[in-house]
């Protein structure tokens, strides 16, 4: 084994002391840095917690949290054919008035003549009144003149009550001749939601057919001569309004 001289032992001891000092100093420096870094992290976390609490308090000031987005305003028109009926149309008008909803009625001339007071009420309450022929005649190649005459007769009945020109027509079964638009200066109004309310008395089924099919700018076809149709119409209005739909008359769908 090598023997170290006294001077060599002193050098080795000095080196050992310096090494220990360096190690201690490094640990102390790292500990100081770690402490500083930990303090910053804790401060940052506390700031975030404080911010969250303040946001929560602000949210509680807005009636329980962030305000929900307003439902999109989607227009839809609800229309009724074959009236006026002395019982069911009156019930329907009551429900529409209660909900502040305007509809479009395509009336038969012969029934309008029998119940002018209902036509007057429709007008007073802001609904549109359209022509559905006089006797619900369907246009065919063999009866065009008769069909045209029925439209003219119905216009005369309606305008005689309302003192206003009739602009809109719903041809029974959707059969139409575009030449009549220029001849009579009338706009045909068809539909794109048909719940087939005329062939069922099941209110829930009719309601489901309406609310499942309704979209932006839909025109809904119903008939105001059945109790089930009236009930389904009012139920559908309530549901669709909750879904962000706004009920308008057909002219807003056709021309806006």
């Amino acid at each position: 084994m090598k023997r170290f001289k006294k001077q060599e032992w002193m050098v080795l001891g000095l080196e050992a002391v310096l090494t220990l000092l360096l190690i201690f100093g490094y640990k102390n420096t790292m500990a100081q840095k770690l402490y500083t870094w930990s303090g910053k992290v804790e401060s940052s976390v506390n700031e975030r917690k404080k911010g969250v609490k303040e946001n929560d308090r602000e949210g509680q000031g807005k009636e329980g949290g962030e305000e929900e987005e307003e439902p999109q305003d989607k227009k839809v028109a609800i229309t009724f054919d074959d009236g006026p009926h002395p019982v069911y149309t009156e019930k329907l008008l009551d429900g529409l008035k209660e909900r502040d909803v305007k509809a479009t009625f395509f009336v038969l001339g012969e029934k309008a003549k029998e119940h002018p007071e209902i036509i007057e009420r429709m007008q007073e309450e802001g609904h549109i009144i359209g022509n559905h022929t006089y006797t619900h005649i369907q246009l065919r190649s063999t009866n065009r003149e008769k069909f045209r005459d029925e439209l003219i007769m119905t216009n005369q009945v309606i305008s005689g009550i309302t003192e206003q020109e009739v602009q809109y027509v719903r041809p029974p079964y959707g059969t139409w001749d575009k030449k009549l638009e220029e001849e009579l200066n009338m706009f045909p109004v068809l539909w794109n939601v048909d719940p087939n309310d005329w062939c069922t008395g099941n209110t829930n089924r009719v309601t489901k057919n309406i609310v499942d099919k309704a979209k932006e700018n839909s025109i809904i076809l119903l008939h105001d001569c059945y109790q089930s149709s009236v009930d389904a119409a009012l139920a559908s209005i309530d549901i669709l309004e909750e879904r962000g739909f706004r009920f308008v008359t057909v002219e807003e769908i056709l021309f806006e």
Side-chain angles (χ1 to χ4, degrees):
M1 177 179 289
K2 181 180 179 181
R3 290 179 174 272
F4 291 98
K5 294 180 180 181
K6 183 177 180 180
Q7 291 86 348
E8 292 175 339
W9 279 111
M10 289 178 66
V11 171
L12 291 173
L14 182 59
E15 289 178 350
V17 169
L18 290 172
T19 301
L20 289 173
L21 288 173
L22 287 171
I23 292 172
F24 178 78
Y26 174 78
K27 286 184 177 180
N28 188 50
T29 301
M30 291 303 296
Q32 182 65 32
K33 288 183 178 180
L34 181 62
Y35 175 78
T36 303
W37 178 78
S38 298
K40 290 181 178 179
V41 170
E42 183 177 0
S43 175
S44 177
V45 171
N46 289 336
E47 287 295 324
R48 290 185 181 182
K49 287 182 178 179
K50 181 180 178 182
V52 170
K53 288 181 180 179
E54 289 177 353
N55 288 337
D56 287 344
R57 285 196 294 269
E58 290 178 3
Q60 290 172 0
K62 295 178 181 178
E63 298 183 357
E66 294 183 359
E67 294 181 359
E68 295 183 359
E69 288 187 14
E70 290 293 325
Q72 183 182 359
D73 183 25
K74 297 170 286 190
K75 293 184 295 185
V76 62
I78 192 163
T79 68
F80 300 92
D81 292 3
D82 295 359
H85 189 280
V87 176
Y88 302 127
T89 302
E90 291 278 16
K91 289 183 178 181
L92 175 61
L93 289 170
D94 290 342
L96 294 174
K97 184 176 182 179
E98 180 182 344
R99 292 161 175 78
D100 193 26
V101 167
K102 309 306 179 188
T104 306
F105 290 87
F106 294 98
V107 302
L108 295 174
E110 60 181 359
K111 292 189 177 181
K113 187 175 181 179
E114 292 175 4
H115 307 288
E117 73 285 354
I118 300 178
I119 301 298
E120 289 176 354
R121 180 180 175 184
M122 289 176 182
Q123 181 186 30
E124 290 171 0
E125 295 181 0
H127 306 290
I128 285 183
I129 304 166
N131 189 325
H132 198 45
T133 75
Y134 198 83
T135 64
H136 206 272
I137 184 176
Q138 181 177 7
L139 175 63
R140 302 181 187 277
S141 59
T142 57
N143 69 351
R144 186 182 186 280
E145 289 305 310
K146 180 174 175 53
F147 181 86
R148 182 178 180 278
D149 290 343
E150 286 213 5
L151 292 179
I152 294 172
M153 288 173 58
T154 303
N155 281 349
Q156 291 173 345
V157 171
I158 297 172
S159 60
I161 299 169
T162 64
E163 297 184 353
Q164 292 183 351
E165 182 181 358
V166 182
Q167 294 182 302
Y168 302 102
V169 54
R170 171 162 288 161
Y173 310 103
T175 308
W176 183 245
D177 179 352
K178 284 189 68 66
K179 293 180 180 179
L180 291 170
E181 295 175 28
E182 294 183 3
E183 293 178 28
L184 303 177
N185 192 29
M186 299 182 73
F187 298 98
V189 180
L190 301 181
W191 58 89
N192 48 32
V193 175
D194 183 1
N196 293 312
D197 61 314
W198 59 272
C199 63
T200 178
N202 189 321
T203 297
N204 292 334
R205 181 181 301 171
V206 175
T207 302
K208 186 176 188 304
N209 286 340
I210 294 171
V211 300
D212 287 351
K213 297 176 182 178
K215 298 178 181 179
E216 167 75 2
N217 293 326
S218 286
I219 297 178
I220 302 167
L221 168 64
L222 285 165
H223 300 80
D224 55 326
C225 48
Y226 309 104
Q227 180 66 55
S228 56
S229 296
V230 172
D231 293 339
L234 299 178
S236 299
I237 289 170
D238 293 339
I239 294 170
L240 291 175
E241 284 190 330
E242 288 181 358
R243 296 182 182 180
F245 285 88
R246 178 170 62 92
F247 284 84
V248 299
T249 53
V250 293
E251 60 187 2
E252 290 193 47
I253 301 292
L254 297 175
F255 302 112
E256 291 188 6

